Amino acid sequence: MKRETLADRAADLLLDRIRSGEWELGERLPGETTLGPQLGVGRSTVREAIRQLAGRGVLTSRQGAGVFVTALDAAEDWDVVLRHADILSVIEARIAIEGEAASLAAQRRTPADLRAIRRALAARAAYGAPAGVDDDLDGYVDADTAFHRSVVAAAHNPILQELFDGFTPRLRPAMVEMLRLRWHAGNGVPARRPSSAHDAEEDQLMHERLAESVAARASAEAARLSREHLAGLAAAIGGAA
């Protein structure tokens, strides 16, 4: 566990005062000699607390002018947000991100991107329909994720790429567990095996159509297929919950 320092506590106190409305957006903070006694710390600790809040986008220092409020609250750390989010919220965000990424991929993909997408599609197909708990469900999920990542990469937007990569660790365990529940009733007996096998074949065909739409530069179709697939995934996870 990270040990809280004096600067951490001073930053928290300062942030509480900003949240309470003591200073308005764009307002200049008092100087270090004023803030130090108020926070019960020295000037060097005040400077460190200000640096922390500047790094979180709450404050900004202007040379020769002072320190100003640039946000009235600090956004939570991305990893903390994902830990607190439920799986359906994560998938809803993926719908927005991957729908746009698929559209951009169809417009911007290069021959190298298409090769990567087709390799990932073939790797996904090689797993076939998972048949049970003895199958490599983790590998199946990883292959599926690799395909979606190849489409996002073809969009050539580093922000979309970073957002997708941030979702992966949060979603992966839920995907594996969903497959386990979907294919087994929980007592060792396969659950809905024939229909699930058919669903898996249809799912692979949908991924193939998505790859084809990116190759054909059909951006609207690529976005539609991506959104429909993820909406179906959200429905499946909601039903398994």
Side-chain angles (χ1 to χ4, degrees):
M1 179 180 286
K2 179 184 175 183
R3 184 178 178 181
E4 188 180 49
T5 65
L6 274 177
D8 294 333
R9 289 199 290 272
D12 288 341
L13 289 171
L14 196 52
L15 182 57
D16 287 341
R17 292 173 66 181
I18 292 169
R19 285 169 171 160
S20 72
E22 184 168 343
W23 298 288
E24 294 182 359
L25 192 65
E27 188 174 350
R28 182 180 180 276
L29 261 60
E32 295 170 2
T33 55
T34 301
L35 286 175
Q38 292 177 358
L39 299 173
V41 296
R43 293 178 61 183
S44 62
T45 303
V46 172
R47 284 194 293 272
E48 177 57 32
I50 288 171
R51 275 195 292 268
Q52 287 189 23
L53 293 180
R56 298 170 71 183
V58 177
L59 300 174
T60 187
S61 296
R62 299 177 191 166
Q63 188 68 32
V67 177
F68 295 81
V69 177
T70 51
L72 298 178
D73 201 354
E76 273 196 289
D77 179 78
W78 180 235
D79 291 337
V80 174
V81 171
L82 285 179
R83 283 199 300 272
H84 291 173
D86 62 59
I87 297 302
L88 289 179
S89 295
V90 172
I91 294 176
E92 286 170 357
R94 277 189 64 186
I95 292 171
I97 290 166
E98 292 188 53
E100 181 61 21
S103 176
L104 291 174
Q107 299 170 47
R108 300 174 178 174
R109 92 295 185 279
T110 65
D113 292 327
L114 288 182
R115 288 193 294 271
I117 289 171
R118 286 164 176 156
R119 282 196 303 270
L121 184 66
R124 187 185 189 280
Y127 276 90
V133 293
D134 294 330
D135 280 357
D136 184 7
L137 299 184
D138 294 83
Y140 183 80
V141 169
D142 289 342
D144 177 74
T145 301
F147 170 79
H148 286 277
R149 191 181 192 280
S150 70
V151 173
V152 175
H156 295 280
N157 183 308
I159 305 300
L160 292 176
Q161 183 76 72
E162 184 175 349
L163 288 171
F164 179 88
D165 289 342
F167 287 147
T168 300
R170 179 73 178 96
L171 191 57
R172 185 181 183 277
M175 290 292 298
V176 173
E177 184 59 21
M178 184 196 74
L179 284 174
R180 207 177 302 278
L181 290 172
R182 191 175 184 184
W183 289 88
H184 283 259
N187 57 2
V189 178
R192 303 191 295 112
R193 190 177 199 135
S195 61
S196 291
H198 174 73
D199 290 346
E201 291 170 4
E202 286 296 312
D203 189 55
Q204 180 65 21
L205 286 174
M206 190 288 305
H207 286 75
E208 291 174 5
R209 290 195 292 271
L210 175 56
E212 290 166 1
S213 66
V214 171
R217 298 194 186 277
S219 59
E221 177 71 359
R224 182 187 68 79
L225 288 168
S226 179
R227 292 190 181 104
E228 285 184 0
H229 163 63
L230 289 168
L233 177 60
I237 286 183

